[in-house]
Amino acid sequence: MSRTTSRTHKVRTRSAAVVAALAVAGLLTGCAEELPTPKPEAPVAAAVVTQAQEREILDKVAGVVEKVTKSSQAEDLAGRLSGPALDIRETQLKVAAARKDQEPLTDLSMQMQQVILPSDQEWPRNSFAITVQPKDLTTPVLMTFEQASARDQYKLWGWVRLLPGVTMPRFAEADLGSAAVAADDESLKTTPTDAIKQYASVLTVDKDSKYAGNFADDDLRQFFRDYGKLQVDAINKEECKGAFEVAYEPTKDPVKSVRTADGGALVMAAMISKETITAKEEGCEIGPPTKTTQALWGDADVTNVVEVNYQDMVAMYVPPKGSDDQISLVGYEHVPMSVSNG
């Protein structure tokens, strides 16, 4: 894959101490006998989850993931995984069992280099975290955790593997917390919900999408170009008139978004996709092209079509309204869940 780098947005902020000092200086320049009555200080923003609490959450989730990885008892995942993360991990375990190896499993050991904690008092509450580089030297993983209500445990809701070389947007300091962004928030170049819908169009038809100009080019789009060409060329060598198509759509899962320091948002969402490889010449037959799709194929008859259904997660940076920057992908997860002969 090619390297994709999103821009870093530098925001100069004044600390609470500096602001307080300036306020005092302003008072001292007035008439001493007419000093105003001191007012209570404005409340200081603070994360509703401390870094120590987040570490406890991470340890508990990681413990469940590790236990299930060793035992392959996927039903135990629901205690600490939910939503797309639960679906994707169950699929990965199925694929790993079919292949008889653990290569398909994303490293979810949860040693973090950065946490992005919530500042919102209401529920659901979401936190984000970025791992250190895994031992298998794949890229770090961006994870989203959700507490659905005050009585619920925090659970891993979704994750993506970051793009090679990506530069993440800046966030507020962890102790201050970062605000959630509503799915229909209009302070961005486009709302989080619309950003995901538009990106589904771009992934499906690439540069032919009317939204293509809203997005920076990225590794996932380049992957489909390269992979599709590889499959078509292999079929054409057999004079079978190959064709490759991919179709994406968002799921009904809620979009998770958090405010960045420049007023933009980091957006994570679940998607599903279908990849279709076809040999159009009469009499030609093709089979599943990869080790994973072969493992999921089973004993199905070979025809002229291979269809692969995927579960996907994507994370992107959406700039604030008025920015000249494009929306940019920061990471994705693309997991095959089933294969058929069409």
Side-chain angles (χ1 to χ4, degrees):
M1 295 186 182
S2 61
R3 291 169 64 91
T4 299
T5 304
S6 59
R7 299 184 179 178
T8 300
H9 301 269
K10 297 181 179 178
V11 178
R12 296 180 179 177
T13 57
R14 293 181 177 180
S15 69
V18 173
V19 174
L22 290 175
V24 171
L27 290 176
L28 292 177
T29 59
C31 298
E33 53 271 27
E34 304 233 351
L35 287 176
T37 302
K39 296 181 180 180
E41 293 184 3
V44 177
V48 294
V49 176
T50 67
Q51 294 192 59
Q53 289 171 329
E54 182 77 356
R55 184 63 261 171
E56 185 177 352
I57 292 166
L58 296 173
D59 289 343
K60 290 181 177 179
V61 177
V64 170
V65 171
E66 182 179 4
K67 176 183 175 182
V68 171
T69 300
K70 292 178 179 178
S71 67
S72 298
Q73 300 298 317
E75 60 271 18
D76 293 337
L77 287 173
R80 281 293 181 171
L81 274 70
S82 66
L86 179 59
D87 293 339
I88 288 176
R89 194 59 171 189
E90 288 176 341
T91 297
Q92 287 187 333
L93 288 166
K94 173 185 173 183
V95 172
R99 286 183 42 157
K100 297 181 172 58
D101 65 60
Q102 293 193 345
E103 184 179 331
L105 300 178
T106 303
D107 186 333
L108 300 178
S109 54
M110 301 188 194
Q111 296 302 310
M112 302 302 181
Q113 59 175 295
Q114 182 181 5
V115 292
I116 303 156
L117 302 179
S119 63
D120 303 271
Q121 296 292 328
E122 64 273 9
W123 284 269
R125 292 175 177 173
N126 302 298
S127 64
F128 296 74
I130 302 173
T131 69
V132 298
Q133 186 171 30
K135 294 179 181 179
D136 60 7
L137 300 183
T138 55
T139 57
V141 178
L142 168 67
M143 302 181 188
T144 302
F145 300 83
E146 179 189 62
Q147 185 184 30
S149 73
R151 295 183 180 276
D152 286 310
Q153 302 282 5
Y154 268 92
K155 297 182 179 182
L156 176 61
W157 181 88
W159 77 81
V160 298
R161 306 187 209 210
L162 295 179
L163 301 182
V166 72
T167 300
M168 294 294 292
R170 295 175 63 87
F171 300 92
E173 293 294 329
D175 290 340
L176 296 180
S178 296
V181 178
D184 59 354
D185 189 288
E186 296 183 347
S187 68
L188 309 172
K189 292 200 76 169
T190 185
T191 68
T193 295
D194 285 344
I196 298 303
K197 290 179 179 178
Q198 292 178 15
Y199 190 55
S201 171
V202 172
L203 288 174
T204 300
V205 294
D206 201 11
K207 295 177 182 178
D208 291 333
S209 170
K210 64 180 180 180
Y211 305 114
N214 295 346
F215 295 83
D217 202 2
D218 60 59
D219 287 25
L220 185 53
R221 293 162 68 185
Q222 188 61 48
F223 166 78
F224 286 124
R225 295 174 196 140
D226 295 342
Y227 181 71
K229 184 178 184 303
L230 181 67
Q231 300 306 318
V232 169
D233 287 349
I235 295 172
N236 287 345
K237 284 182 180 179
E238 304 298 325
E239 299 182 352
C240 284
K241 294 183 181 178
F244 176 88
E245 295 179 343
V246 64
Y248 264 83
E249 64 178 275
T251 69
K252 294 181 179 180
D253 296 285
V255 176
K256 300 292 185 183
S257 306
V258 62
R259 188 71 66 185
T260 55
D262 64 348
L266 176 68
V267 177
M268 185 180 289
M271 308 178 84
I272 56 173
S273 60
K274 176 183 284 189
E275 169 191 296
T276 305
I277 308 169
T278 308
K280 295 185 175 182
E281 191 68 27
E282 185 176 354
C284 289
E285 295 181 338
I286 56 175
T290 68
K291 185 176 179 179
T292 294
T293 54
Q294 289 166 10
L296 293 173
W297 181 262
D299 57 0
D301 294 332
V302 175
T303 68
N304 69 319
V305 177
V306 173
E307 291 182 349
V308 188
N309 294 294
Y310 291 84
Q311 292 178 315
D312 296 79
M313 291 291 298
V314 296
M316 61 183 65
Y317 164 70
V318 181
K321 182 176 289 187
S323 172
D324 292 332
D325 293 330
Q326 294 172 298
I327 302 169
S328 56
L329 185 72
V330 300
Y332 68 90
E333 188 72 280
H334 183 59
V335 180
M337 58 182 293
S338 66
V339 185
S340 73
N341 58 13

